[in-house]
Amino acid sequence: MAFESLSERLNKAFKNISGQGKLTEKNMNDMLKEVRMSLLEADVNYEVVKSFVENVKEKALGQEVLDSLNPSQMVVKIVHDELQVLLGEEDARIHFKKQGMTTVMMVGLQGTGKTTASAKIANYCKNKLARRVLLVACDVVRPAAIEQLQTLGKSIDVEVFTCGPETSAVETARQALAYAKDRQKDLVIFDTAGRLHIDEALMQELQQMKDLVVPDEILLTVDAMTGQDIVTVAKEFSERLSVTGLIVTKMDGDARGGGLLSVRSITNVPVLFVSNGEKVDDLEEFHPDRMADRILGMGDIVTLVEQAQDKLDIEVQKKTAERMKQGVFTFNDLLAQLGQVSKLGSMQKMMNMIPGINKVAKNLDDEKMNSQMKKSEAIILSMTEYERENPSCLKASRKNRIAKGAGVKVMDVNRLINQLEQMQMMTKMMSGKVKLPDMAALQNMQRGGGMPGMSKHSGSKKQKPKKKKKKKLKK
């Protein structure tokens, strides 16, 4: 994940002063040296790093910090505040007209995910802001760009306007404006052409479109993987087109993230959104304070809750909660919950947002967890409706049939049954239908004995208790 290496290095630097009773210029310099190296290795611009370290040092050696009971925590707060200044002190948003049609031009180099970002923003504005959106395919240079936008538009139920690859981008934009006005659209997003690098032909075409459309926003898509090149690209586009905001893509990759820390302070162009996946709903509003929290390993529980509210089916959750209150939890409930979890996306990404747990998130294997979830879903889908609602009926013959249908081993079926039984016991405890297990029962569970009062479904024959041998009496 982006910033992972930077987070580790910064936390290591803070640990060096956490054990110090008092903050001195020496241990402060040692810590700042580590911070400087962390930022440079993360590909942050040298001038930005120099200014950042000087600001932190000046504030950290102030009297308020020196006299505080816990100077290390004060230093962390100062670094957090300075990171937020780099990222932007306030949240930036698309500025919509109070009346009439708002126009947005999407610009950027080829390969930065501009077309996908256009669809993601359209989806965001349609679902969250209740806008009547029209996507316009003005990329007539790249093969299949129009078809890609049409496919994305269909998946989010947003209309895509195109005149075909034979019509110029400027003429397509002209006709799209009249079309959008006739159909009372209040947001028009123009997906423009890109190049492998900035050239005069590209800039002239974009300038002509800008003069025609007079966009309310010009949003530049930049690839988080390109490091400091983000700054160079943003600077050139901003000087030629007066870019109003950035969309940072591929934040879910192994980008070091330094470019994102540099671009705001050098170009003064704010980041509006970050894209952290390939799905159309993998788009986050950019909050500088929350991103600073993530960089310092403090998690981002607010964003996690917001994503859960957006992606989870509230009715499914309510239904499951009601059944659990009654002490009921079957394979149908488990299947519904697996579906809900898969909607949230990467488990590692979610864990990274939870304070405390985020430190062990890197040890999670997303592929392995997804594979296990798919296997569990396959097992449940191989059951009949009766078997899902009545797991106690699952005997050897049924297990064999289910295992064959799911393409797994019987031991996998037994393992899932054991997991369900443990969930059922926890559900009954929460509903008050079963007493909490005593210490002896908990110790038995820890040794692998399973929940008290539940069968183990081991799938093997029960072993008969060994008879005690009678001792022979000596004559």
Side-chain angles (χ1 to χ4, degrees):
M1 302 296 287
F3 295 119
E4 188 176 316
S5 177
L6 177 60
S7 298
E8 288 177 5
R9 289 290 300 268
L10 288 176
N11 279 297
K12 182 183 174 184
F14 296 142
K15 280 180 184 177
N16 292 337
I17 61 167
S18 61
Q20 307 286 339
K22 190 177 180 182
L23 198 64
T24 64
E25 191 161 357
K26 184 183 181 306
N27 56 31
M28 170 57 65
N29 285 334
D30 291 341
M31 187 275 292
L32 287 176
K33 185 179 179 182
E34 189 71 29
V35 170
R36 185 186 293 108
M37 290 305 299
S38 305
L39 293 169
L40 288 172
E41 285 183 12
D43 219 8
V44 182
N45 180 274
Y46 173 75
E47 292 298 326
V48 173
V49 174
K50 185 180 176 183
S51 175
F52 179 87
V53 171
E54 285 174 357
N55 290 341
V56 171
K57 185 175 181 179
E58 183 183 343
K59 292 178 182 177
L61 290 176
Q63 198 63 39
E64 185 183 344
V65 179
L66 292 173
D67 293 342
S68 66
L69 294 174
N70 197 329
S72 63
Q73 289 183 359
M74 291 290 288
V75 171
V76 172
K77 183 183 183 303
I78 290 167
V79 172
H80 177 278
D81 292 344
E82 286 300 313
L83 280 174
Q84 191 176 329
V85 170
L86 281 185
L87 295 165
E89 296 179 72
E90 295 181 356
D91 296 346
R93 295 288 170 268
I94 295 175
H95 295 97
F96 292 97
K97 286 179 179 174
K98 290 183 179 179
Q99 289 183 337
M101 189 168 61
T102 302
T103 52
V104 175
M105 257 181 76
M106 299 291 292
V107 299
L109 295 181
Q110 194 170 307
T112 56
K114 181 165 35 62
T115 300
T116 307
S118 300
K120 287 180 177 181
I121 294 171
N123 184 56
Y124 167 87
C125 293
K126 171 178 172 273
N127 294 329
K128 280 199 170 185
L129 307 178
R131 297 284 170 175
R132 300 184 300 277
V133 189
L134 177 69
L135 281 165
V136 184
C138 291
D139 185 352
V140 295
V141 176
R142 181 169 64 89
I146 295 173
E147 289 82 354
Q148 182 189 356
L149 192 64
Q150 286 175 324
T151 302
L152 288 167
K154 190 176 180 181
S155 69
I156 59 175
D157 194 24
V158 169
E159 190 178 0
V160 176
F161 180 89
T162 176
C163 295
E166 298 83 14
T167 308
S168 71
V170 177
E171 182 57 31
T172 299
R174 190 191 311 278
Q175 293 186 33
L177 286 172
Y179 182 89
K181 191 174 181 181
D182 288 343
R183 282 152 185 79
Q184 297 183 324
K185 302 288 184 181
D186 56 12
L187 175 62
V188 185
I189 300 174
F190 298 86
D191 175 34
T192 65
R195 300 286 192 279
L196 294 175
H197 56 85
I198 297 171
D199 61 20
E200 195 58 36
L202 169 66
M203 286 302 172
Q204 283 182 2
E205 180 180 279
L206 293 176
Q207 187 62 56
Q208 288 173 5
M209 281 193 64
K210 180 186 173 184
D211 294 341
L212 172 70
V213 173
V214 191
D216 300 288
E217 297 278 1
I218 300 179
L219 304 183
L220 172 67
T221 58
V222 286
D223 186 344
M225 308 284 284
T226 57
Q228 288 193 46
D229 281 348
I230 288 180
V231 180
T232 307
V233 172
K235 215 171 180 180
E236 290 198 43
F237 270 96
S238 185
E239 287 171 1
R240 297 289 296 269
L241 298 171
S242 301
V243 171
T244 59
L246 300 178
I247 316 296
V248 183
T249 61
K250 304 179 187 177
M251 280 291 286
D252 54 323
D254 58 355
R256 287 176 288 182
L260 180 56
L261 288 172
S262 308
V263 71
R264 178 68 173 87
S265 58
I266 291 177
T267 64
N268 203 33
V269 177
V271 179
L272 272 65
F273 299 99
V274 290
S275 171
N276 51 19
E278 295 180 3
K279 296 178 182 176
V280 285
D281 55 354
D282 288 335
L283 186 76
E284 287 180 25
E285 295 175 353
F286 184 76
H287 301 278
D289 54 339
R290 299 186 197 177
M291 188 59 73
D293 285 345
R294 286 195 215 179
I295 293 171
L296 294 180
M298 298 175 183
D300 186 0
I301 200 72
V302 179
T303 298
L304 180 61
V305 171
E306 286 176 354
Q307 288 181 357
Q309 288 174 336
D310 290 340
K311 295 180 181 179
L312 295 184
D313 190 326
I314 303 301
E315 289 304 314
V316 171
Q317 294 302 100
K318 282 182 180 178
K319 185 179 177 181
T320 303
E322 285 299 320
R323 284 166 64 86
M324 290 179 78
K325 282 181 185 177
Q326 297 165 15
V328 177
F329 193 87
T330 67
F331 276 119
N332 276 326
D333 298 303
L334 179 57
L335 184 64
Q337 292 310 303
L338 288 172
Q340 294 282 74
V341 171
S342 64
K343 285 181 182 179
L344 289 172
S346 166
M347 190 65 68
Q348 189 183 55
K349 189 170 73 179
M350 284 192 291
M351 298 284 267
N352 267 316
M353 293 184 184
I354 304 173
I357 298 178
N358 54 359
K359 292 178 182 177
V360 298
K362 64 179 182 179
N363 298 324
L364 292 176
D365 189 335
D366 263 340
E367 287 187 16
K368 191 174 180 181
M369 293 181 77
N370 288 336
S371 175
Q372 189 59 50
M373 282 176 59
K374 286 177 182 176
K375 187 186 285 186
S376 298
E377 286 180 345
I379 292 170
I380 298 171
L381 292 171
S382 293
M383 299 176 187
T384 64
E385 188 62 34
Y386 179 80
E387 288 168 343
R388 291 182 208 172
E389 280 297 309
N390 301 276
S392 58
C393 76
L394 296 175
K395 306 303 178 188
S397 60
R398 289 178 185 263
K399 289 179 190 176
N400 281 320
R401 191 203 78 244
I402 292 166
K404 286 179 182 178
V408 298
K409 296 177 181 178
V410 175
M411 63 181 288
D412 294 317
V413 178
N414 285 328
R415 190 181 293 117
L416 188 62
I417 293 171
N418 283 332
Q419 288 174 2
L420 182 76
E421 287 182 343
Q422 291 184 9
M423 293 175 191
Q424 285 176 329
M425 180 55 71
M426 295 301 292
T427 300
K428 287 174 182 176
M429 286 177 191
M430 288 189 287
S431 66
K433 291 192 175 184
V434 174
K435 291 182 180 178
L436 290 169
D438 57 21
M439 188 55 69
L442 288 171
Q443 288 173 346
N444 178 49
M445 286 164 56
Q446 202 170 21
R447 289 192 295 267
M451 285 286 183
M454 305 297 282
S455 63
K456 290 174 103 178
H457 287 279
S458 61
S460 59
K461 293 180 181 179
K462 292 183 180 179
Q463 293 182 347
K464 293 181 181 179
K466 293 180 180 179
K467 292 181 180 179
K468 292 182 180 179
K469 292 181 180 180
K470 293 181 181 180
K471 290 182 180 180
K472 292 182 180 180
L473 296 173
K474 291 182 180 179
K475 292 182 180 179

